[in-house]
């Protein structure tokens, strides 16, 4: 997507082709005009959620995982992913996939701003008469404010200039551009890191004070933004800002509402329980956006089990799911997930899989996002489609554990880590002190959040260097499909932050780049 600014401007057409994303078909057509009815408000509201779902899924925010040692490269992808595996600065500078990430959250912000503007206008003009409709519109506006905070958070993870510290958080032009109102042609300067996160927290506080839906408003797993999710976003942000006691407080506000998985001891059953976290509705899902076989799901990424159905050469008249791996889990990733035989993640989220064609030896691939047959258009030929989870409670346990360890509280860190370990099938060894707890948090975040785009930012937060992964031994069987280049990047390198899209930097002279 070279012309990112043009694409964002084109999104002003709004939701005419994207709003059919919930459990009904909206009626009406998008126009640049004040809302005229509650039905039209619902139409636009559905559309904003479509933009949220397009941005908040692992096929978008998981992109940064390919700049970690989770995976090693394959030369059958035609070089598409080589800039990531090789940390090729010149090819990362205006990479289409990185630009898509930036566009997804920039457009989400713009559409949320539009909805807030029109919604507040409707309330001011007394468009609605029914109290329940007025109350619901207020909550919709607050949900859109949370979406803006989500966009700031995700953009900060990738575009803040260097790691966030108390010493540099007020450096000018170190944060992101804050679009506080609907003005798609505004040429905004960058804020500081602290200003960026403070504004996101302000939006979340406004939404919580103004009112959001609660978990109890839903029969099962919520499919809309809730007050608990707003608290989860605050916990995420406070962790980034090194405000550890505040992060713990936000976690404690809701963590008990979402029980961790209870395993049975039956391996097959427990594997399915862990797969269901990303394929079905479970107690660990805080918000899972609506999905069906037509809309609302995401597919496979390199190193996962993505493939195509082709005629079988072994059994005439049947189809075979042929996987072309554009990447492989590294030896480090295989060891990370499988070193503890009692850890069910090593059986559920990574699996030896036949690749290339029938008869080839197997190689480990990530199976965390195996999917749900109910989301397939042809169930007998699954392509592993998954719904979008906005947050799972396991991440919150890890935030609480890290924050407690940073505050020197080994006991609270150990309690959070032990609870998560039990939900993954193993018992945690005693933790001696806060430093040991923090080391374990770093390992557990790598295990639990693989595929979720957190590790590169964690490396930046923890001031770690990058050293590429080692090809897994079984990858050698497919010989020519390994195309590994040895790369090492020092801790603190500006390459841990992405550069803003070229078109944005050229069209907006107020936007100072990261790599300038």
């Amino acid at each position: 997507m070279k012309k990112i600014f043009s694409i964002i401007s084109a999104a002003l057409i709004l939701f005419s082709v994207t709003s059919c994303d919930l459990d009904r078909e909206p009626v009406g057509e998008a126009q640049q005009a004040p809302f005229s009815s509650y039905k039209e408000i619902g139409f636009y509201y559905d559309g904003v959620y479509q933009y949220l779902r397009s941005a908040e899924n692992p096929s978008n925010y998981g992109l940064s995982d390919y700049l970690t040692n989770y995976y090693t490269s394959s030369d059958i992808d035609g070089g598409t992913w080589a800039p990531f595996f090789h940390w090729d600065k010149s090819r990362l500078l205006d990479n289409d996939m990185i630009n898509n990430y930036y566009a997804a959250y920039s457009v989400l912000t713009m559409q949320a701003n539009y909805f807030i503007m029109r919604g507040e206008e409707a309330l001011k003009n007394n468009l609605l008469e029914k109290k329940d409709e007025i109350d619901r519109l207020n909550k919709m506006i607050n949900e859109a404010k949370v979406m803006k905070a989500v966009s700031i958070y995700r953009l900060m993870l990738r575009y803040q200039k260097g790691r966030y510290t108390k010493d540099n958080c007020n450096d000018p032009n170190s944060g992101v551009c804050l679009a506080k109102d609907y003005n798609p042609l505004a040429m905004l300067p960058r804020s500081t890191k602290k200003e960026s996160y403070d504004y996101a927290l302000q939006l979340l506080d406004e939404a919580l004070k103004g009112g959001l839906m609660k978990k109890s408003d839903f029969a099962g797993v919520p499919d809309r933004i809730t007050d608990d999710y707003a608290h989860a976003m605050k916990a995420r942000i406070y962790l980034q800002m090194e405000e550890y006691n505040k992060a713990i407080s936000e976690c404690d506000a809701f963590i008990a509402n979402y029980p961790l998985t209870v395993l049975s001891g039956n391996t097959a059953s427990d594997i399915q329980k862990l797969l269901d976290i990303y394929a079905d509705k479970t107690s660990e899902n805080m918000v899972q956006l609506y999905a069906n076989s037509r809309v609302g799901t995401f597919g496979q990424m390199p190193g996962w089990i993505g493939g195509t159905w082709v005629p079988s050469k072994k059994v005439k008249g049947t189809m075979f799911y042929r996987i072309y791996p554009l990447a492989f889990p590294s030896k480090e990733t295989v060891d990370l997930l499988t070193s503890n035989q009692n850890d069910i993640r090593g059986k559920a989220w990574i699996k030896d899989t036949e690749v290339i064609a029938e008869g080839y030896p197997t190689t480990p691939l990530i199976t965390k996002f195996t999917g749900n047959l109910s989301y397939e258009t042809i169930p007998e030929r699954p392509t592993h489609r998954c719904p979008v989870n906005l947050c799972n409670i396991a991440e919150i346990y890890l935030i609480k554990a890290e924050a407690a360890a940073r505050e020197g509280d080994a006991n609270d860190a150990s309690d959070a880590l032990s609870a998560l370990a039990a939900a993954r099938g193993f018992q945690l060894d005693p933790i001696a002190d806060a430093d040991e707890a923090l080391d374990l948090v770093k390992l557990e975040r790598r295990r639990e959040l693989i595929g979720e785009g957190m590790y590169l930012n964690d490396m930046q937060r923890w001031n770690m260097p990058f050293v590429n992964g080692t090809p897994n031994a079984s990858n050698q069987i497919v010989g020519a499909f390994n195309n590994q280049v040895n790369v090492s990047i020092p801790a603190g390198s500006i390459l841990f932050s992405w550069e803003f899209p070229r078109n944005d930097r050229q069209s907006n002279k107020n936007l100072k780049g990261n790599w300038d």
Side-chain angles (χ1 to χ4, degrees):
M1 188 184 64
K2 299 294 185 185
K3 297 182 179 178
I4 184 169
F5 185 80
S6 299
I7 288 182
I8 292 177
S9 297
L12 296 177
I13 298 171
L14 291 173
F15 318 123
S16 57
V17 296
T18 57
S19 62
C20 305
D21 71 309
L22 302 178
D23 54 356
R24 59 188 175 82
E25 296 290 340
V27 178
E29 60 183 36
Q31 296 180 3
Q32 289 281 319
F35 292 150
S36 60
S37 67
Y38 185 71
K39 181 181 289 186
E40 186 181 23
I41 290 169
F43 173 74
Y44 278 81
Y45 170 74
D46 291 357
V48 182
Y49 264 91
Q50 168 63 8
Y51 284 103
L52 174 67
R53 193 177 51 215
S54 296
E56 278 293 279
N57 73 78
S59 65
N60 186 46
Y61 59 63
L63 182 64
S64 62
D65 276 355
Y66 298 92
L67 283 161
T68 73
N69 69 354
Y70 273 145
Y71 305 99
T72 58
S73 61
S74 157
D75 63 5
I76 64 172
D77 78 319
T80 301
W81 292 90
F84 293 86
F85 292 121
H86 302 166
W87 282 63
D88 186 334
K89 182 178 179 180
S90 63
R91 296 178 67 190
L92 291 173
L93 184 59
D94 201 35
N95 181 273
D96 284 351
M97 289 182 283
I98 290 176
N99 289 352
N100 284 340
Y101 178 101
Y102 184 79
Y105 291 106
S106 298
V107 172
L108 174 60
T109 297
M110 182 177 64
Q111 305 298 4
N113 273 333
Y114 184 84
F115 184 85
I116 292 167
M117 178 185 72
R118 292 302 189 196
E120 290 178 342
E121 180 182 57
L123 291 172
K124 181 180 179 181
N125 294 338
N126 298 313
L127 173 67
L128 305 177
E129 296 180 356
K130 296 180 181 178
K131 183 180 183 303
D132 62 329
E133 291 182 352
I134 294 171
D135 290 345
R136 186 68 193 100
L137 176 54
N138 273 306
K139 286 185 172 66
M140 291 177 180
I141 291 170
N142 291 325
E143 289 168 50
K145 290 181 179 180
V146 174
M147 294 182 200
K148 288 179 62 178
V150 171
S151 291
I152 293 169
Y153 168 74
R154 292 293 186 185
L155 290 172
M156 282 290 289
L157 291 185
R158 293 287 77 245
Y159 293 96
Q160 68 179 19
K161 191 167 188 176
R163 62 190 288 253
Y164 188 109
T165 70
K166 296 293 181 65
D167 293 330
N168 70 19
C169 64
N170 290 308
D171 289 354
N173 296 305
S174 61
V176 296
C177 303
L178 299 178
K180 297 185 177 183
D181 302 298
Y182 179 71
N183 184 359
L185 300 181
M187 299 298 174
L188 298 169
R190 295 175 69 174
S191 300
T192 69
K193 294 188 184 84
K194 189 173 187 302
E195 287 170 340
S196 299
Y197 276 139
D198 280 349
Y199 180 55
L201 291 168
Q202 175 188 324
L203 289 165
L204 293 165
D205 285 336
E206 288 176 4
L208 286 163
K209 183 178 180 180
L212 290 163
M213 299 184 77
K214 299 181 180 298
K215 183 176 184 286
S216 58
D217 293 328
F218 299 85
V221 175
D223 61 3
R224 302 289 193 283
I225 286 169
T226 63
D227 56 350
D228 287 346
Y229 176 65
H231 284 294
M233 285 304 308
K234 291 184 69 176
R236 283 171 161 175
I237 291 170
Y238 281 134
L239 182 70
Q240 301 299 319
M241 297 179 74
E242 302 179 343
E243 298 282 359
Y244 300 121
N245 282 320
K246 291 180 180 179
I248 292 169
S249 178
E250 294 299 332
C251 291
D252 286 342
F254 63 89
I255 197 168
N257 296 340
Y258 303 88
L260 286 162
T261 300
V262 177
L263 300 181
S264 66
N266 178 286
T267 300
S269 172
D270 291 343
I271 287 172
Q272 189 58 52
K273 286 182 178 182
L274 292 200
L275 292 176
D276 284 347
I277 296 170
Y278 297 91
D280 211 337
K281 298 182 186 299
T282 76
S283 63
E284 293 198 19
N285 306 130
M286 292 188 64
V287 179
Q288 184 179 105
L289 301 182
Y290 178 82
N292 61 28
S293 60
R294 296 184 301 105
V295 294
T297 61
F298 66 91
Q300 298 295 298
M301 293 282 281
W304 303 0
I305 49 174
T308 56
W309 285 91
V310 297
S312 173
K313 294 180 180 178
K314 285 185 177 180
V315 184
K316 189 174 182 179
T318 65
M319 301 293 285
F320 166 72
Y321 189 66
R322 182 166 62 189
I323 297 174
Y324 288 94
L326 303 185
F328 298 106
S330 66
K331 181 180 185 300
E332 289 80 2
T333 295
V334 175
D335 292 345
L336 178 74
L337 290 174
T338 63
S339 59
N340 183 344
Q341 291 301 306
N342 294 321
D343 190 338
I344 298 298
R345 291 173 297 192
K347 301 177 178 68
W349 293 351
I350 190 167
K351 182 180 178 181
D352 283 339
T353 308
E354 189 177 72
V355 299
I356 309 302
E358 294 165 293
Y360 272 71
T362 62
T363 189
L365 292 177
I366 299 301
T367 52
K368 183 178 184 179
F369 305 100
T370 298
N372 190 321
L373 289 178
S374 67
Y375 301 131
E376 302 290 348
T377 54
I378 307 176
E380 60 271 22
R381 298 181 190 174
T383 54
H384 308 293
R385 308 296 302 180
C386 295
V388 173
N389 293 323
L390 293 188
C391 187
N392 293 327
I393 202 64
E395 181 188 346
I396 304 305
Y397 275 86
L398 291 168
I399 290 174
K400 184 174 180 179
E402 180 172 352
R406 296 284 187 183
E407 289 295 324
D409 190 339
N411 289 332
D412 276 4
S414 178
D415 288 346
L417 289 168
S418 294
L420 181 58
R424 299 301 180 254
F426 65 98
Q427 185 175 353
L428 203 65
D429 292 333
I431 294 174
D433 53 34
D435 288 340
E436 184 179 341
L438 185 58
D439 288 341
L440 187 55
V441 166
K442 292 178 180 181
L443 282 173
E444 283 302 307
R445 282 184 67 91
R446 287 174 60 200
R447 289 189 182 103
E448 184 68 29
L449 302 178
I450 186 171
E452 301 185 47
M454 289 293 183
Y455 187 28
L456 183 65
N457 176 257
D458 285 346
M459 291 170 66
Q460 186 180 57
R461 282 199 303 120
W462 300 331
N463 204 30
M464 292 172 56
F466 167 80
V467 179
N468 58 262
T470 307
N472 179 44
S474 64
N475 296 161
Q476 304 300 333
I477 298 172
V478 291
F481 299 122
N482 286 303
N483 183 28
Q484 188 65 29
V485 173
N486 292 325
V487 179
S488 61
I489 304 294
S493 169
I494 194 58
L495 293 181
F496 281 93
S497 299
W498 286 345
E499 182 56 284
F500 292 88
R502 187 191 309 274
N503 265 51
D504 280 64
R505 287 180 285 115
Q506 290 177 344
S507 62
N508 181 4
K509 301 304 181 183
N510 296 319
L511 178 59
K512 307 300 182 184
N514 283 324
W515 299 355
D516 292 346

Short mmCIF file of all heavy atoms in Angstrom, two decimals, residues 26-61:
data_model
loop_
_atom_site.label_atom_id
_atom_site.label_comp_id
_atom_site.label_asym_id
_atom_site.label_seq_id
_atom_site.Cartn_x
_atom_site.Cartn_y
_atom_site.Cartn_z
N PRO A 26 -27.21 -4.38 8.42
CA PRO A 26 -27.64 -2.99 8.57
C PRO A 26 -28.41 -2.51 7.35
O PRO A 26 -28.21 -2.98 6.24
CB PRO A 26 -26.32 -2.23 8.71
CG PRO A 26 -25.33 -3.25 9.15
CD PRO A 26 -25.76 -4.53 8.48
N VAL A 27 -29.29 -1.57 7.61
CA VAL A 27 -30.11 -1.01 6.54
C VAL A 27 -29.70 0.43 6.32
O VAL A 27 -29.51 1.19 7.27
CB VAL A 27 -31.60 -1.08 6.91
CG1 VAL A 27 -32.45 -0.45 5.82
CG2 VAL A 27 -32.01 -2.53 7.15
N GLY A 28 -29.56 0.83 5.05
CA GLY A 28 -29.23 2.21 4.75
C GLY A 28 -27.94 2.31 3.99
O GLY A 28 -27.32 1.32 3.64
N GLU A 29 -27.52 3.53 3.71
CA GLU A 29 -26.26 3.76 3.01
C GLU A 29 -25.55 4.94 3.65
O GLU A 29 -26.17 5.85 4.19
CB GLU A 29 -26.50 4.01 1.52
CG GLU A 29 -27.37 5.21 1.23
CD GLU A 29 -27.61 5.36 -0.26
OE1 GLU A 29 -27.74 4.34 -0.95
OE2 GLU A 29 -27.66 6.52 -0.72
N ALA A 30 -24.22 4.88 3.60
CA ALA A 30 -23.41 5.89 4.28
C ALA A 30 -23.41 7.21 3.52
O ALA A 30 -23.28 7.24 2.31
CB ALA A 30 -21.99 5.38 4.43
N GLN A 31 -23.58 8.29 4.27
CA GLN A 31 -23.47 9.62 3.69
C GLN A 31 -22.78 10.53 4.70
O GLN A 31 -22.84 10.30 5.90
CB GLN A 31 -24.87 10.19 3.36
CG GLN A 31 -25.62 9.39 2.30
CD GLN A 31 -26.99 9.99 2.03
OE1 GLN A 31 -27.34 11.03 2.60
NE2 GLN A 31 -27.75 9.34 1.17
N GLN A 32 -22.13 11.59 4.18
CA GLN A 32 -21.49 12.57 5.05
C GLN A 32 -22.56 13.57 5.49
O GLN A 32 -22.71 14.64 4.91
CB GLN A 32 -20.37 13.27 4.29
CG GLN A 32 -19.17 12.38 4.04
CD GLN A 32 -18.29 12.29 5.28
OE1 GLN A 32 -18.07 13.25 5.98
NE2 GLN A 32 -17.80 11.11 5.56
N ALA A 33 -23.31 13.21 6.53
CA ALA A 33 -24.39 14.07 7.00
C ALA A 33 -24.72 13.68 8.43
O ALA A 33 -24.37 12.60 8.88
CB ALA A 33 -25.63 13.91 6.11
N PRO A 34 -25.40 14.56 9.17
CA PRO A 34 -25.81 14.20 10.54
C PRO A 34 -26.66 12.94 10.54
O PRO A 34 -27.36 12.63 9.57
CB PRO A 34 -26.61 15.42 10.99
CG PRO A 34 -26.10 16.55 10.15
CD PRO A 34 -25.78 15.95 8.82
N PHE A 35 -26.60 12.21 11.65
CA PHE A 35 -27.45 11.03 11.80
C PHE A 35 -28.91 11.45 11.74
O PHE A 35 -29.30 12.49 12.29
CB PHE A 35 -27.19 10.33 13.13
CG PHE A 35 -25.82 9.70 13.24
CD1 PHE A 35 -25.19 9.59 14.46
CD2 PHE A 35 -25.17 9.20 12.12
CE1 PHE A 35 -23.94 9.00 14.58
CE2 PHE A 35 -23.92 8.61 12.22
CZ PHE A 35 -23.30 8.51 13.45
N SER A 36 -29.73 10.62 11.09
CA SER A 36 -31.14 10.95 10.94
C SER A 36 -32.06 10.02 11.72
O SER A 36 -33.26 10.30 11.83
CB SER A 36 -31.53 10.91 9.45
OG SER A 36 -31.30 9.61 8.92
N SER A 37 -31.53 8.92 12.24
CA SER A 37 -32.37 7.96 12.95
C SER A 37 -31.51 7.04 13.80
O SER A 37 -30.29 6.94 13.58
CB SER A 37 -33.19 7.13 11.97
OG SER A 37 -32.33 6.29 11.21
N TYR A 38 -32.14 6.35 14.73
CA TYR A 38 -31.42 5.38 15.54
C TYR A 38 -30.93 4.22 14.68
O TYR A 38 -29.85 3.67 14.93
CB TYR A 38 -32.32 4.87 16.67
CG TYR A 38 -31.62 3.96 17.63
CD1 TYR A 38 -30.67 4.45 18.53
CD2 TYR A 38 -31.90 2.60 17.67
CE1 TYR A 38 -30.02 3.63 19.42
CE2 TYR A 38 -31.25 1.76 18.56
CZ TYR A 38 -30.31 2.28 19.44
OH TYR A 38 -29.65 1.45 20.31
N LYS A 39 -31.69 3.88 13.67
CA LYS A 39 -31.28 2.81 12.77
C LYS A 39 -29.99 3.19 12.04
O LYS A 39 -29.07 2.38 11.91
CB LYS A 39 -32.38 2.50 11.75
CG LYS A 39 -32.04 1.39 10.78
CD LYS A 39 -33.17 1.14 9.77
CE LYS A 39 -34.36 0.51 10.43
NZ LYS A 39 -35.41 0.13 9.45
N GLU A 40 -29.90 4.42 11.59
CA GLU A 40 -28.68 4.87 10.91
C GLU A 40 -27.50 4.90 11.88
O GLU A 40 -26.37 4.55 11.52
CB GLU A 40 -28.89 6.25 10.31
CG GLU A 40 -27.70 6.71 9.48
CD GLU A 40 -27.87 8.09 8.88
OE1 GLU A 40 -28.67 8.88 9.42
OE2 GLU A 40 -27.18 8.38 7.88
N ILE A 41 -27.74 5.28 13.12
CA ILE A 41 -26.68 5.24 14.13
C ILE A 41 -26.14 3.83 14.26
O ILE A 41 -24.92 3.61 14.31
CB ILE A 41 -27.21 5.76 15.48
CG1 ILE A 41 -27.48 7.26 15.41
CG2 ILE A 41 -26.22 5.44 16.61
CD1 ILE A 41 -28.24 7.81 16.60
N GLY A 42 -27.03 2.85 14.31
CA GLY A 42 -26.61 1.45 14.40
C GLY A 42 -25.79 1.02 13.20
O GLY A 42 -24.83 0.24 13.33
N PHE A 43 -26.15 1.52 12.04
CA PHE A 43 -25.41 1.20 10.81
C PHE A 43 -23.96 1.68 10.90
O PHE A 43 -23.02 0.94 10.63
CB PHE A 43 -26.14 1.86 9.63
CG PHE A 43 -25.43 1.76 8.31
CD1 PHE A 43 -25.38 0.57 7.61
CD2 PHE A 43 -24.80 2.87 7.76
CE1 PHE A 43 -24.73 0.48 6.39
CE2 PHE A 43 -24.15 2.80 6.55
CZ PHE A 43 -24.11 1.60 5.86
N TYR A 44 -23.78 2.92 11.33
CA TYR A 44 -22.43 3.46 11.46
C TYR A 44 -21.66 2.78 12.59
O TYR A 44 -20.45 2.54 12.50
CB TYR A 44 -22.49 4.97 11.69
CG TYR A 44 -22.67 5.77 10.42
CD1 TYR A 44 -23.93 5.91 9.84
CD2 TYR A 44 -21.59 6.38 9.79
CE1 TYR A 44 -24.11 6.64 8.68
CE2 TYR A 44 -21.75 7.11 8.63
CZ TYR A 44 -23.02 7.22 8.08
OH TYR A 44 -23.18 7.94 6.92
N TYR A 45 -22.36 2.48 13.66
CA TYR A 45 -21.75 1.80 14.81
C TYR A 45 -21.20 0.44 14.38
O TYR A 45 -20.07 0.08 14.72
CB TYR A 45 -22.82 1.66 15.88
CG TYR A 45 -22.49 0.79 17.07
CD1 TYR A 45 -21.61 1.21 18.05
CD2 TYR A 45 -23.12 -0.44 17.23
CE1 TYR A 45 -21.35 0.42 19.17
CE2 TYR A 45 -22.87 -1.24 18.34
CZ TYR A 45 -21.99 -0.80 19.30
OH TYR A 45 -21.73 -1.59 20.40
N ASP A 46 -21.98 -0.31 13.62
CA ASP A 46 -21.50 -1.59 13.10
C ASP A 46 -20.24 -1.39 12.27
O ASP A 46 -19.30 -2.19 12.33
CB ASP A 46 -22.57 -2.25 12.22
CG ASP A 46 -23.78 -2.73 13.00
OD1 ASP A 46 -23.77 -2.61 14.25
OD2 ASP A 46 -24.74 -3.22 12.38
N GLY A 47 -20.22 -0.32 11.50
CA GLY A 47 -19.07 -0.06 10.64
C GLY A 47 -17.80 0.21 11.42
O GLY A 47 -16.72 -0.25 11.04
N VAL A 48 -17.91 0.95 12.52
CA VAL A 48 -16.72 1.22 13.33
C VAL A 48 -16.16 -0.08 13.88
O VAL A 48 -14.94 -0.28 13.93
CB VAL A 48 -17.04 2.20 14.48
CG1 VAL A 48 -15.79 2.50 15.28
CG2 VAL A 48 -17.62 3.50 13.94
N TYR A 49 -17.03 -1.00 14.27
CA TYR A 49 -16.57 -2.29 14.77
C TYR A 49 -15.87 -3.10 13.68
O TYR A 49 -14.94 -3.87 13.97
CB TYR A 49 -17.71 -3.09 15.38
CG TYR A 49 -17.80 -2.91 16.87
CD1 TYR A 49 -18.59 -1.90 17.42
CD2 TYR A 49 -17.06 -3.70 17.73
CE1 TYR A 49 -18.65 -1.70 18.79
CE2 TYR A 49 -17.11 -3.52 19.11
CZ TYR A 49 -17.90 -2.52 19.63
OH TYR A 49 -17.94 -2.33 20.99
N GLN A 50 -16.30 -2.94 12.45
CA GLN A 50 -15.60 -3.62 11.36
C GLN A 50 -14.15 -3.13 11.27
O GLN A 50 -13.22 -3.92 11.10
CB GLN A 50 -16.32 -3.40 10.03
CG GLN A 50 -15.53 -3.81 8.79
CD GLN A 50 -15.22 -5.30 8.74
OE1 GLN A 50 -15.71 -6.07 9.56
NE2 GLN A 50 -14.39 -5.70 7.79
N TYR A 51 -13.96 -1.83 11.41
CA TYR A 51 -12.59 -1.30 11.38
C TYR A 51 -11.78 -1.77 12.58
O TYR A 51 -10.59 -2.05 12.47
CB TYR A 51 -12.61 0.23 11.30
CG TYR A 51 -12.96 0.74 9.93
CD1 TYR A 51 -14.22 1.23 9.64
CD2 TYR A 51 -12.02 0.70 8.90
CE1 TYR A 51 -14.55 1.68 8.37
CE2 TYR A 51 -12.33 1.14 7.63
CZ TYR A 51 -13.60 1.64 7.36
OH TYR A 51 -13.91 2.07 6.10
N LEU A 52 -12.43 -1.86 13.73
CA LEU A 52 -11.75 -2.38 14.91
C LEU A 52 -11.28 -3.81 14.66
O LEU A 52 -10.14 -4.17 14.95
CB LEU A 52 -12.68 -2.33 16.12
CG LEU A 52 -12.15 -2.98 17.40
CD1 LEU A 52 -10.96 -2.19 17.96
CD2 LEU A 52 -13.26 -3.07 18.45
N ARG A 53 -12.16 -4.62 14.11
CA ARG A 53 -11.83 -6.03 13.89
C ARG A 53 -10.75 -6.20 12.84
O ARG A 53 -9.89 -7.08 12.94
CB ARG A 53 -13.10 -6.80 13.50
CG ARG A 53 -12.94 -8.30 13.55
CD ARG A 53 -14.25 -8.98 13.23
NE ARG A 53 -14.80 -8.47 12.00
CZ ARG A 53 -16.10 -8.32 11.76
NH1 ARG A 53 -16.98 -8.63 12.69
NH2 ARG A 53 -16.53 -7.87 10.60
N SER A 54 -10.75 -5.35 11.83
CA SER A 54 -9.72 -5.43 10.80
C SER A 54 -8.34 -5.09 11.35
O SER A 54 -7.34 -5.62 10.89
CB SER A 54 -10.05 -4.47 9.65
OG SER A 54 -11.26 -4.85 9.01
N ALA A 55 -8.32 -4.21 12.35
CA ALA A 55 -7.04 -3.81 12.95
C ALA A 55 -6.61 -4.78 14.05
O ALA A 55 -5.45 -5.20 14.11
CB ALA A 55 -7.16 -2.40 13.52
N GLU A 56 -7.54 -5.16 14.92
CA GLU A 56 -7.20 -5.90 16.14
C GLU A 56 -7.27 -7.41 15.93
O GLU A 56 -8.07 -8.11 16.58
CB GLU A 56 -8.14 -5.49 17.27
CG GLU A 56 -7.73 -4.22 17.96
CD GLU A 56 -6.42 -4.38 18.74
OE1 GLU A 56 -6.44 -4.90 19.85
OE2 GLU A 56 -5.37 -3.99 18.19
N ASN A 57 -6.45 -7.93 15.05
CA ASN A 57 -6.36 -9.38 14.90
C ASN A 57 -4.91 -9.75 14.58
O ASN A 57 -4.15 -8.93 14.07
CB ASN A 57 -7.34 -9.89 13.85
CG ASN A 57 -6.92 -9.57 12.44
OD1 ASN A 57 -6.04 -10.22 11.89
ND2 ASN A 57 -7.54 -8.56 11.85
N PRO A 58 -4.51 -10.98 14.90
CA PRO A 58 -3.10 -11.35 14.76
C PRO A 58 -2.54 -11.25 13.35
O PRO A 58 -1.33 -11.14 13.19
CB PRO A 58 -3.08 -12.81 15.25
CG PRO A 58 -4.21 -12.88 16.22
CD PRO A 58 -5.28 -12.01 15.62
N SER A 59 -3.38 -11.29 12.33
CA SER A 59 -2.85 -11.13 10.98
C SER A 59 -2.41 -9.70 10.71
O SER A 59 -1.74 -9.42 9.72
CB SER A 59 -3.88 -11.58 9.93
OG SER A 59 -5.02 -10.73 9.94
N ASN A 60 -2.77 -8.77 11.62
CA ASN A 60 -2.29 -7.39 11.52
C ASN A 60 -1.25 -7.11 12.60
O ASN A 60 -0.07 -6.88 12.30
CB ASN A 60 -3.46 -6.41 11.64
CG ASN A 60 -3.02 -4.97 11.41
OD1 ASN A 60 -2.30 -4.66 10.46
ND2 ASN A 60 -3.45 -4.07 12.27
N TYR A 61 -1.64 -7.18 13.88
CA TYR A 61 -0.69 -6.81 14.92
C TYR A 61 0.36 -7.88 15.17
O TYR A 61 1.38 -7.62 15.80
CB TYR A 61 -1.37 -6.39 16.22
CG TYR A 61 -2.26 -7.42 16.87
CD1 TYR A 61 -1.78 -8.63 17.34
CD2 TYR A 61 -3.62 -7.14 17.08
CE1 TYR A 61 -2.60 -9.54 17.98
CE2 TYR A 61 -4.45 -8.04 17.72
CZ TYR A 61 -3.93 -9.25 18.17
OH TYR A 61 -4.76 -10.16 18.79
#
